[in-house]
Amino acid sequence: MSHEKVVIIDFGGQYAHLIASRIRRQNVLAEILEPEAATVDLMGDESIKGIILSGGPQSVFDADSPQCDPAIFKLGKPVLGICYGHQYLCRSLGGEVTPGKIKEYGRAELQVTSDCALFKDIPEKSVFWMSHGDEVTQLPEGFEVCGQTEACGHAAVWNQEKNLYGIQFHPEVTHSEFGGQVLQNFLTICEVSGDWTIEKFFEEEKQKIKEQVGDKNVFLFVSGGVDSTVSFAFLSQILGPERVKGLFVDTGMLRQGEVDFVETSLKAIGADLTTLRSADQFLGNLKDQYDPEKKREIIGHTFLDVQQEFFSHNDLHGDWVLAQGTIYPDTIETGGTKHAAKIKTHHNRAPEVQKLIDEGKIIEPIKELYKDEVRALGEFLGLPHDLVWRHPFPGPGLGVRILCNATEEIVDIAPRGMGQLNAFTMQEKRKAFMVLPIKSVGVQGDGRSYRHPGLLKIDGFDLAKQEQLATKLINHYKEINRCVVMLGQNFEGSIKRIVAPKTCVDADRVEILQRADHIVTETLVEQKLYSDVWQFPTVLLPISFNDVGQETIVLRPIDSIDAMSASVGKLPQSFFQEVAEKILEDKSISAVLLDVTSKPPGTIEWE
Ligand code: XMP
C-alpha cells in the first residue's frame, strides 16, 4: 500500500531532514528528493499530495546553486518554498531576488497581512526565525504578500489560485512560535488525511520483510545502541526468535553493566542473542598503542576478526541474510547527490555493503525511519524505555575515551605560574589558561586538529560565559583546540607540577573510567536530568597534578540535535559538584575537569 506523502526537495542538507521529521510528526509521510531527480519522480504519482522546497546554505546567485525543474510548479500540487526555496520559487516564476540591505538572522516578528490559509489560527503578530541575506523584492504575476517583518517586505507570499506559497522564515525550527501550525496548515492545504503511524508502518513492513527474507534466516550484529536493538527486536517479532540471530560483541570497553543490561532486555522480549566475550582480544590488540587513529583502526579490525571467527565456526552461508540498523538520514546522506560534498558516507553504505544490498543479501528494516520514529517503534515493540531512550554511544566504545601517551611529559610550573609548554606564551595568555601536556582531536575549518586542551583560569560557574571564552581563545591561540575548567581535585593548593605518564588502554584504566561514567549516568538519572543532555561522554586523561593520583576525568555534557554541531550541556552546578565529589572518592583520580568547548572547534569525543 502506498501512503499519501509530501516530498521535500532538498536544497541543502540538514534543513530538509528537519522539515521532513516535523511533517512526519503530524502523521504524514515525508520523503526527501534531490532537486535533480524531482520532476520525473513527481509526475503522475498520485500519492504525492504536496511539495516543499527546503532552505539551503547557498544564494540563488551562486553559479552552482541547486536547481530543480520549474515544471514542478505546473503539476497542480500545492508547493511551499522555504527560505532559499521561497526565493527559488519566486525567481523561477518571474519574480526578482536581490541581496537584502539588512541581513536577518534569528528572531523576527512576522505580521500577517492577509487571510491566507497558511496562517490559519496564527495571531496577527508572532515570532519566527529568520536566516537570510538575499530577499524577494518583486513578486511573480498572480502572487501577493501575506506576511512581512520589519526588514523583509515579502516574508510570506502566495498565489491563491495555484496553491503556491513562499515563506522567508523557517517554520521547522523550534524557535518559530507557530512554525508547527504553519506546516500543519500547509498539510491541510494538501488535503492529506494523516495515514502515517508507527502501527501501520509495523504492519506494512512486516509483510515486506517476510517477502524479502522468504524462507531464509536473519543474522545481525547488535551494539546495544537504539538502532540495531530496535531492528533486532522488530525482526524477532516478525519472523520469530528462532529465525533471527543476534550477535553482541563484548569488547571489554563497554559501559559498566552494559552486557547484562543488553542481554536481559533482549532476552526479556524473547530474542536469541549470543554474546561473544572478546575483551582479551580487543585489549590485547590495543597494548602499546598510543595514536588515536591507529587505535580506532585496530578496534575496527578486531571487530572484523571476531565476526570472521564466528562465521568460520557457524555455518551462516546460504540460508542466511544479513540485517543492519540503517536509518533514514544514513541512506539519504550517502545518496551521492551533487550536494554530497558536505555529507558523510555512512559505513552501512560502504561500496561492498551496497553491492550486497543490491543483490538482496542485506535487509534494513528501519531504513525509512527517523530516530524519533525508531524510538516510537521500540516502545511499540515493548522494549524497555531506558533502552529506547539511551544516549548515543560510539562503536569503538570507551576505547576512544581513554587517552594514551607515548612518552612521559612533565611540566614543572615555575613560581610565576607558567609551565614549560607555555613558556613561550604572552602575558595575557598566561592569565587566561594553562596548556595541558596531552592532545585531543578537534575540528577547525575543513579538517580535524590534534592539539592541547587549555585549562581555563577563571572564577565562578557560568557555563555560557566559559563556552564563549573558550571559542575566543581557541580561535586565537593555535596550540589549543578545546578548553576545560577545574571542577574538583584530590591535590592541595595551586598546580605546581603536571605529569602525563606513558600509558595505553588496559583493563585497569577501563575500570576506572567505567566507574566514573557510571556515576555520571546514575546521577543524571537520579536528578532527572538524563534527557536534558543529548550525550555525555566521560573521558580518562593520563594526567596527574602535583603527583597526586595518576588519572584525570573529563566530563563532556553535550547539547545537540544531530551531533554535527554541539554546545555544552548547561546542567546545574550542583549536579557537577555532586558528580565530581563522588568521582574523587577514587584516590587514583587527580582531578575532575569539565569540557566547555562547543563543536566546532572541539569534537564531541576527545579522539
Ligand atoms: P565527534 O567526536 O565526531 O562525534 O564530534 C560525533 C558523534 O559521533 C559519535 N562517534 C562515533 N560513533 N563510531 C560510532 O558509532 C565512531 O567511531 C564514532 N566516533 C564518534 C560520537 O559519540 C558523537 O555522538
Side-chain angles (χ1 to χ4, degrees), residues 503-570:
T503 185
C504 59
V505 178
D506 61 35
D508 291 341
R509 297 191 75 209
V510 171
E511 215 180 303
I512 293 173
L513 181 58
Q514 277 178 331
R515 178 183 167 272
D517 179 69
H518 185 66
I519 290 171
V520 169
T521 310
E522 200 180 47
T523 316
L524 279 174
V525 173
E526 274 168 17
Q527 298 196 7
K528 300 196 172 28
L529 294 169
Y530 188 82
S531 49
D532 287 10
V533 278
W534 190 80
Q535 195 179 13
F536 198 142
T538 310
V539 184
L540 191 71
L541 308 185
I543 283 195
S544 163
F545 294 95
N546 293 359
D547 296 317
V548 174
Q550 307 88 51
E551 306 277 2
T552 286
I553 293 285
V554 180
L555 307 182
R556 177 84 172 120
I558 291 295
D559 188 5
S560 177
I561 291 173
D562 50 17
M564 303 287 284
S565 62
S567 58
V568 179
K570 313 284 185 310

Side-chain angles (χ1 to χ4, degrees), residues 35-287:
E36 294 78 8
T39 323
V40 183
D41 290 1
L42 298 180
M43 261 197 294
D45 186 339
E46 289 301 314
S47 68
I48 296 173
K49 299 294 178 190
I51 300 163
I52 295 180
L53 311 179
S54 85
Q58 283 176 285
S59 159
V60 287
F61 300 114
D62 292 348
D64 60 346
S65 62
Q67 317 268 321
C68 66
D69 185 345
I72 65 162
F73 302 123
K74 297 195 179 132
L75 294 173
K77 300 183 195 271
V79 178
L80 171 65
I82 297 176
C83 195
Y84 176 94
H86 159 62
Q87 295 166 11
Y88 184 81
L89 178 147
C90 290
R91 201 171 188 227
S92 309
L93 294 174
E96 221 173 75
V97 176
T98 47
K101 285 190 225 62
I102 302 175
K103 303 201 187 299
E104 256 186 318
Y105 296 103
R107 192 179 190 282
E109 192 175 73
L110 180 84
Q111 163 111 38
V112 176
T113 57
S114 85
D115 193 20
C116 171
L118 209 54
F119 295 118
K120 189 169 176 293
D121 296 332
I122 293 177
E124 211 179 297
K125 283 187 176 173
S126 62
V127 169
F128 282 92
W129 219 246
M130 288 280 200
S131 179
H132 67 113
D134 303 341
E135 67 171 297
V136 174
T137 43
Q138 201 170 324
L139 294 184
E141 212 183 303
F143 277 74
E144 59 176 297
V145 176
C146 52
Q148 47 194 211
T149 65
E150 202 183 327
C152 181
H154 298 110
V157 305
W158 64 324
N159 180 328
Q160 184 170 14
E161 192 198 327
K162 299 202 167 130
N163 252 340
L164 304 176
Y165 304 81
I167 50 181
Q168 185 56 68
F169 55 86
H170 288 271
E172 71 277 19
V173 303
T174 46
H175 294 87
S176 287
E177 254 181 317
F178 289 91
Q181 186 67 44
V182 167
L183 293 175
Q184 196 179 331
N185 290 339
F186 181 66
L187 294 177
T188 307
I189 293 166
C190 296
E191 296 179 352
V192 285
S193 57
D195 62 357
W196 171 253
T197 60
I198 276 301
E199 293 77 3
K200 282 204 187 144
F201 169 83
F202 177 83
E203 287 307 323
E204 288 160 25
E205 208 54 28
K206 189 167 151 179
Q207 276 322 108
K208 277 197 230 161
I209 288 172
K210 281 185 167 170
E211 281 163 27
Q212 215 180 342
V213 175
D215 55 4
K216 295 194 169 137
N217 296 320
V218 180
F219 180 85
L220 89 165
F221 292 100
V222 179
S223 69
V226 178
D227 302 341
S228 66
T229 310
V230 170
S231 301
F232 183 45
F234 188 21
L235 290 167
S236 296
Q237 267 193 31
I238 295 171
L239 302 168
E242 62 290 346
R243 292 182 58 199
V244 185
K245 177 130 206 78
L247 192 70
F248 181 39
V249 181
D250 176 5
T251 60
M253 293 178 290
L254 297 170
R255 293 191 142 139
Q256 195 178 92
E258 176 77 359
V259 177
D260 281 352
F261 178 67
V262 172
E263 282 180 344
T264 312
S265 310
L266 286 169
K267 284 180 181 164
I269 59 158
D272 173 11
L273 183 74
T274 300
T275 304
L276 293 184
R277 302 204 177 255
S278 310
D280 290 347
Q281 198 166 340
F282 279 88
L283 294 178
N285 289 350
L286 284 173
K287 193 167 177 327

Side-chain angles (χ1 to χ4, degrees), residues 450-516:
Y450 190 51
R451 294 176 190 166
H452 297 277
L455 173 59
L456 292 188
K457 298 175 186 172
I458 191 168
D459 292 328
F461 189 85
D462 181 340
L463 285 180
K465 205 167 133 197
Q466 292 170 357
E467 190 174 13
Q468 265 178 19
L469 176 65
T471 308
K472 253 195 199 158
L473 292 172
I474 294 163
N475 286 340
H476 199 74
Y477 296 109
K478 62 180 186 329
E479 66 267 47
I480 56 169
N481 62 0
R482 62 174 80 229
C483 286
V484 290
V485 292
M486 185 68 76
L487 275 180
Q489 56 197 59
N490 266 334
F491 61 92
E492 302 279 326
S494 60
I495 299 169
K496 298 184 189 68
R497 185 174 146 90
I498 312 175
V499 178
K502 177 180 174 190
T503 185
C504 59
V505 178
D506 61 35
D508 291 341
R509 297 191 75 209
V510 171
E511 215 180 303
I512 293 173
L513 181 58
Q514 277 178 331
R515 178 183 167 272

Side-chain angles (χ1 to χ4, degrees), residues 296 347 392-396 401 448 534-535 563 599 603-605 607:
R296 272 175 183 275
H347 55 86
F393 186 68
R401 296 181 180 170
R448 294 216 151 194
W534 190 80
Q535 195 179 13
K599 171 182 177 175
T603 43
I604 292 177
E605 303 290 348
E607 282 198 338

Side-chain angles (χ1 to χ4, degrees), residues 324-599:
Q324 51 183 23
T326 318
I327 66 172
Y328 193 54
D330 303 337
T331 65
I332 295 295
E333 285 175 359
T334 325
T337 69
K338 256 192 179 175
H339 318 286
K342 35 186 172 332
I343 296 170
K344 61 181 187 284
T345 295
H346 195 271
H347 55 86
N348 283 4
R349 280 289 181 282
E352 31 318 348
V353 176
Q354 187 61 51
K355 184 166 170 277
L356 291 173
I357 294 173
D358 296 342
E359 290 167 6
K361 291 180 181 156
I362 289 187
I363 58 164
E364 301 182 302
I366 56 168
K367 69 170 188 303
E368 307 286 342
L369 304 185
Y370 279 104
K371 195 73 153 197
D372 57 338
E373 294 168 323
V374 175
R375 291 193 156 126
L377 178 63
E379 301 249 25
F380 176 76
L381 294 168
L383 286 171
H385 182 86
D386 290 354
L387 201 157
V388 165
W389 287 95
R390 58 196 348 215
H391 294 163
F393 186 68
L398 299 179
V400 292
R401 296 181 180 170
I402 296 179
L403 270 69
C404 302
N405 204 14
T407 48
E408 186 183 59
E409 293 272 358
I410 299 176
V411 183
D412 278 312
I413 314 288
R416 63 182 188 279
M418 33 185 283
Q420 281 167 8
L421 266 169
N422 47 2
F424 52 87
T425 61
M426 294 180 305
Q427 186 68 23
E428 61 174 43
K429 189 171 97 181
R430 264 181 253 143
K431 283 191 204 141
F433 63 90
M434 182 182 284
V435 177
L436 295 181
I438 187 96
K439 284 184 180 174
S440 80
V441 175
V443 53
Q444 283 163 288
D446 289 339
R448 294 216 151 194
S449 60
Y450 190 51
R451 294 176 190 166
H452 297 277
L455 173 59
L456 292 188
K457 298 175 186 172
I458 191 168
D459 292 328
F461 189 85
D462 181 340
L463 285 180
K465 205 167 133 197
Q466 292 170 357
E467 190 174 13
Q468 265 178 19
L469 176 65
T471 308
K472 253 195 199 158
L473 292 172
I474 294 163
N475 286 340
H476 199 74
Y477 296 109
K478 62 180 186 329
E479 66 267 47
I480 56 169
N481 62 0
R482 62 174 80 229
C483 286
V484 290
V485 292
M486 185 68 76
L487 275 180
Q489 56 197 59
N490 266 334
F491 61 92
E492 302 279 326
S494 60
I495 299 169
K496 298 184 189 68
R497 185 174 146 90
I498 312 175
V499 178
K502 177 180 174 190
T503 185
C504 59
V505 178
D506 61 35
D508 291 341
R509 297 191 75 209
V510 171
E511 215 180 303
I512 293 173
L513 181 58
Q514 277 178 331
R515 178 183 167 272
D517 179 69
H518 185 66
I519 290 171
V520 169
T521 310
E522 200 180 47
T523 316
L524 279 174
V525 173
E526 274 168 17
Q527 298 196 7
K528 300 196 172 28
L529 294 169
Y530 188 82
S531 49
D532 287 10
V533 278
W534 190 80
Q535 195 179 13
F536 198 142
T538 310
V539 184
L540 191 71
L541 308 185
I543 283 195
S544 163
F545 294 95
N546 293 359
D547 296 317
V548 174
Q550 307 88 51
E551 306 277 2
T552 286
I553 293 285
V554 180
L555 307 182
R556 177 84 172 120
I558 291 295
D559 188 5
S560 177
I561 291 173
D562 50 17
M564 303 287 284
S565 62
S567 58
V568 179
K570 313 284 185 310
L571 298 172
Q573 187 176 8
S574 56
F575 165 83
F576 291 114
Q577 266 166 355
E578 184 175 330
V579 167
E581 274 168 30
K582 287 186 192 164
I583 290 176
L584 288 167
E585 282 169 19
D586 177 349
K587 297 303 170 205
S588 68
I589 306 291
S590 189
V592 177
L593 308 175
L594 173 63
D595 188 339
V596 291
T597 323
S598 56
K599 171 182 177 175

